[in-house]
Structure formats: structure tokens, C-alpha cells
Amino acid sequence: MKAAAFDYVRPPDLAGVLDALQIAPGAKLIAGGQSLVPMLNLRLARPSLLIDIGGVDALRIVEDRKTHVRIGATVTHAELEDRPISGCALLQRVARGIAYRSVRNRGTVGGSMAHADPAADWPLAMAAIGATVIVESGTGARQLPAEDFMLGAFQTRLSDEEVVVAIDVPKLSPAARFGYYKFCRKTGEFPEASAAAVFDPASRTAQLYLGALAGAPQPLHDLAATIARQGAPAITDAAIADALHDVAKGDAPQCRMRRAAVKRALKEVFAS
Ligand code: FAD
């Protein structure tokens, strides 16, 4: 099947993108096209107008600020894979595990956050690291914590007139440790189960999230707090089973993978 007919614009700046969004109801942004193009071809999306945000330089920035790094929305997974960022090593680690290189060459971090696939890597990783999503519309900007930016499967707090412009990723201290683990049926596929853990004693951060669920990543705050207090001995099968009792009960393969993803992400924290 081919996409239904649509008009196409590629504004040179953010103002042009926001104007186009306001005057064309039924318009859709396109960034890397890695999710949207298949949806167009299957006619699951039938926008009247595609607004290509790839020509906006302001969305391609990577800015090292004092407490955080600002990652522009159209920075690709491959750019983050290739570019170590001090205090943000988790970004490189996550980026290199997304799909395969041709997807990473085009897929963008902002597109991934906006698309909100429950199995996607960035919504999980950005929640765990405590990132903030910066969005803008014709009426101003908003800063939304990544941990509740995603409302459910393919649903976010973005309104139709808003654009994700950047993600602010807090810099971790040298004492910080993180773990990230996902099970994929085959290399390059979306994960069946995933987990992310970030512990930073300097900022008293203890975050643990389970991904690849039916909706948004699920925080496991109590387990993270216990492990922050008690250390590696608190990473037990019983504690993990208890924390995941509503999403990983029993011995079905997916339940085992969920528990194992959490355990392996946590073990990585203490191995590093
Ligand atoms: P697009 O496809 O261009 O857009 C997706 C949606 O987001 C559209 O609705 C669009 O309107 C909206 N959008 C895009 N940018 C913005 C913005 N700045 N503001 C507001 N809305 C916006 N991802 C993973 O995380 N892990 C995987 O393992 C993985 N495997 C994949 C395997 C394959 C074969 C493919 C094709 C994709 C895979 N992906 C995976 C997804 C990919 O990594 C992209 O991140 C994802 O497709 C969205 O990014 P994009 O830039 O391509 O967005």
C-alpha cells in the first residue's frame, strides 16, 4: 500500500514549523520518519500536511550546560551513539542498542519521545535519568518531566500544536552508576522487556523503571529506595518479584523476562 496524498513543507526555522502547525489542522510533524513513514504507508496516519522539522538547525543542538545537557529534538540516535557526553554516559549506552544502524541514522530522540511506543528505549531511559522534555507552541514553552510525559501507549502530554524542541538530561556525578537491560526477540527488534536503573549518591537519586509494558514505563520507587539504602544484597529474586507483582506474576516467559531485565539492570549498577 502507498501513503494517501499529502502536502509537504520543510520550514527553515521553528517559527515556520509552529506557524504551519497552527494554520493546518490535520498536519503532522515528521522527523526521522522511522515510525511515521510505515504508518503513512499502511494508512494508519493520513495527515493533510507533513511538516518536516529536519531543516531546523535549532533542533539539532547538543549543548553542555552547567547542570544538564540539552539535546535537540532532531538529534539522531546515531549521533548520541557516536558522541560521548560527560556526565551522560547512559545516553551513548542506550543509543547504541536501538534497532540497527540505519534506523539509528535517521530516528531522533524527540521523535521517539513524541511517538511514545511503550517498547521504545528513550521514554524509559529519560524517565530513569530524570530528564525534562521542552515543548513549544505558538503560545509559549513548557517543561515536562520525562517520567510523566508519556500517558500511555502512543499518548503523551503534547497538544496538537506543540513541538518537542529538546530534552534536558541532568548530568550525573562521577559517583553515579546506571544499568540498562533489554530482551529483544531478535537483534534490531523492539524489546520484549526492558529496565533502567540510575543511582547517584551525590544528588540522592535512586531510580528504577520497567519498560516494554502496555503503556508508559513503570517506576519501581520502593525497590530503588531499598537498594539505595541496603546496596547489592537487597537485589533478591523475592524483592524483585514483590515489586513486579502486578506486571510479572507467574512463570510465563514475558514475566520471567521482566523480572530478569530488572535484576540485570540492577546488577549492572553494582558491577560498574
Ligand atoms: P518520526 O517517525 O518522524 O515521527 C514519529 C511521531 O512523532 C510522529 O507522530 C511525529 O509527528 C512525531 N514527532 C516527531 N518529532 C516530533 C517532535 N520534535 N515534536 C513533536 N512530535 C514529533 N526505537 C526504540 O526505541 N528501540 C528500538 O529497538 C527500535 N527499533 C526499531 C526498529 C525498526 C525496524 C524501526 C523502523 C524503528 C525502531 N525504533 C526503535 C523506532 C526509532 O528508533 C525512532 O525513534 C522512532 O521511529 C521515532 O523517531 P523518528 O525521528 O523516526 O520519528
Side-chain angles (χ1 to χ4, degrees):
M1 208 189 283
K2 293 272 185 240
F6 53 80
D7 290 323
Y8 173 88
V9 290
R10 187 176 161 95
D13 53 29
L14 186 58
V17 171
L18 297 177
D19 281 350
L21 264 181
Q22 266 181 337
I23 57 177
K28 237 181 178 339
L29 302 175
I30 183 162
Q34 295 302 291
S35 295
L36 185 56
V37 169
M39 289 171 67
L40 293 173
N41 286 340
L42 292 167
R43 301 201 175 191
L44 294 172
R46 300 176 71 132
S48 55
L49 172 69
L50 270 193
I51 306 169
D52 186 342
I53 58 175
V56 180
D57 287 344
L59 300 181
R60 299 190 59 82
I61 54 161
V62 177
E63 273 178 14
D64 195 338
R65 300 185 171 194
K66 205 170 177 188
T67 56
H68 62 273
V69 175
R70 177 159 289 189
I71 312 284
T74 57
V75 171
T76 63
H77 315 319
E79 285 168 298
L80 293 176
E81 176 183 14
D82 294 345
R83 177 178 184 152
I85 301 173
S86 171
C88 295
L90 178 63
L91 298 182
Q92 193 175 32
R93 168 72 198 288
V94 171
R96 72 169 189 242
I98 294 176
Y100 39 85
R101 185 70 188 199
S102 61
V103 171
R104 299 198 289 272
N105 279 338
R106 300 202 71 89
T108 66
V109 64
S112 176
M113 295 299 291
H115 189 57
D117 190 311
D121 290 273
W122 289 124
L124 171 66
M126 294 300 184
I129 205 169
T132 302
V133 184
I134 316 294
V135 308
E136 220 168 302
S137 71
T139 55
R142 297 196 291 156
Q143 303 203 352
L144 305 167
E147 66 194 23
D148 60 15
F149 178 72
M150 183 170 165
L151 296 173
F154 308 105
Q155 284 182 305
T156 69
R157 294 195 183 277
L158 272 181
S159 74
D160 287 347
E161 295 80 35
E162 282 178 321
V163 178
V164 175
V165 293
I167 294 109
D168 281 352
V169 181
K171 289 201 230 173
L172 299 177
S173 79
R177 298 287 178 265
F178 63 80
Y180 195 82
Y181 197 89
K182 59 179 185 173
F183 285 102
C184 300
R185 195 173 296 187
K186 289 188 204 157
T187 306
E189 285 193 345
F190 277 99
E192 305 281 308
S194 54
V198 177
F199 289 79
D200 190 350
S203 57
R204 302 176 69 83
T205 298
Q207 293 287 11
L208 176 61
Y209 277 81
L210 177 67
L213 296 164
Q218 180 173 314
L220 302 168
H221 293 318
D222 291 348
L223 181 57
T226 303
I227 290 164
R229 276 196 312 274
Q230 299 176 9
I235 308 170
T236 64
D237 290 343
I240 292 170
D242 190 41
L244 271 60
H245 68 276
D246 54 341
V247 287
K249 204 185 281 177
D251 224 25
Q254 193 171 46
C255 296
R256 289 208 312 273
M257 282 191 286
R258 285 176 179 166
R259 291 193 296 267
V262 168
K263 188 172 183 177
R264 292 179 194 194
L266 286 170
K267 290 281 182 191
E268 188 187 333
V269 168
F270 287 92
S272 50

